[in-house]
Amino acid sequence: KAGVTQTPRYLIKTRGQQVTLSCSPISGHRSVSWYQQTPGQGLQFLFEYFSETQRNKGNFPGRFSGRQFSNSRSEMNVSTLELGDSALYLCASSPEGGSYGYTFGSGTRLTVV
Amino acid sequence: SQKIEQNSEALNIQEGKTATLTCNYTNYSPAYLQWYRQDPGRGPVFLLLIRENEKEKRKERLKVTFDTTLKQSLFHITASQPADSATYLCALDIKGGSYIPTFGRGTSLIVHP
């Protein structure tokens, strides 16, 4: 079966712009989580969506937002980009939540210049 | 505060030997612990999940132990191969929490032929 698909794979944006990243989970998975990974901080949890509702949220500013559609596809948006937002953004899906293990996508590498 | 610790120094071993990676945690009462493998520029790949009431879990050449008294998990790869070279991440949730896994920073494993 198809894995978790994230688009685009690479993105270069200018400081102050906004960006939208997309994630298509494995078919049948209702939980989609987003993580930010940087060399300095490791994997940091952004938020989790389950059946179109944000179920959990990490400690990130309000510039980071997301949503989930009825087909479980999810998007995350970052507004007013800062240089520090440069990172690998990973989407992970699971049937119900983290207690069954996550399937991660390959990520979107965002570079803010 | 809650902390997950993995050895930041790379583990170098010879092909055929057993690699043992450590994950220690403090101020947690996890319901489960997970191990992932991550290759450069890719998303983590789920390997094994062990629950708090389980002492040991095996999958092919992989073995995980979970000691809730020591607050430690050991991850073993037997008969290691150069293809096992990667960064290995542990992740655990909080009992009674949201089941969102929190990740350690990972340990790099390098298997020399």
Side-chain angles (χ1 to χ4, degrees):
Chain A
K1 59 184 177 183
V4 177
T5 304
Q6 289 189 248
T7 56
R9 280 285 279 135
Y10 302 94
L11 208 47
I12 300 176
K13 288 287 189 178
T14 304
R15 196 169 45 180
Q17 287 186 312
Q18 77 164 23
V19 67
T20 299
L21 312 180
S22 180
C23 171
S24 293
I26 287 176
S27 177
H29 284 191
R30 294 191 294 166
S31 168
V32 174
S33 295
W34 289 88
Y35 284 82
Q36 180 196 67
Q37 187 173 34
T38 59
Q41 297 295 322
L43 266 167
Q44 301 285 308
F45 170 71
L46 282 156
F47 28 67
E48 183 218 9
Y49 286 87
F50 184 85
S51 294
E52 300 180 68
T53 300
Q54 187 180 86
R55 191 162 67 170
N56 292 286
K57 190 177 188 308
N59 294 324
F60 276 81
R63 300 185 297 107
F64 292 82
S65 62
R67 58 178 175 167
Q68 186 180 33
F69 303 96
S70 58
N71 61 358
S72 291
R73 191 177 71 84
S74 177
E75 288 181 348
M76 70 161 278
N77 185 77
V78 188
S79 62
T80 320
L81 283 166
E82 300 177 0
L83 296 178
D85 297 333
S86 295
L88 181 66
Y89 289 88
L90 292 159
C91 166
S93 77
S94 73
E96 293 285 341
S99 59
Y100 293 90
Y102 280 144
T103 302
F104 279 85
S106 294
T108 294
R109 170 72 63 185
L110 172 65
T111 302
V112 182
V113 297
Chain B
S1 64
Q2 297 157 337
K3 210 183 271 190
I4 303 169
E5 291 177 345
Q6 293 186 259
N7 197 339
S8 58
E9 283 184 27
L11 176 63
N12 286 272
I13 65 167
Q14 213 57 37
E15 182 176 8
K17 301 292 187 185
T18 295
T20 299
L21 305 173
T22 304
C23 177
N24 294 302
Y25 59 93
T26 57
N27 298 324
Y28 268 104
S29 292
Y32 62 81
L33 189 145
Q34 304 176 30
W35 284 90
Y36 290 79
R37 167 191 172 133
Q38 187 173 26
D39 292 285
R42 312 293 295 182
V45 174
F46 173 72
L47 296 173
L48 280 167
L49 180 150
I50 186 166
R51 302 189 188 278
E52 59 170 335
N53 58 349
E54 297 174 317
K55 296 292 184 189
E56 182 179 298
K57 207 125 192 222
R58 292 175 185 260
K59 179 182 173 185
E60 297 171 355
R61 295 185 296 112
L62 309 180
K63 184 178 89 171
V64 171
T65 62
F66 194 10
D67 189 326
T68 55
T69 302
L70 288 179
K71 295 188 183 298
Q72 181 181 78
S73 174
L74 298 179
F75 177 78
H76 307 273
I77 306 175
T78 58
S80 59
Q81 305 163 1
D84 295 327
S85 299
T87 296
Y88 291 85
L89 306 163
C90 72
L92 46 97
D93 90 309
I94 305 168
K95 194 191 307 185
S98 59
Y99 295 111
I100 298 298
T102 301
F103 285 80
R105 300 286 294 274
T107 298
S108 175
L109 171 67
I110 302 168
V111 182
H112 299 277

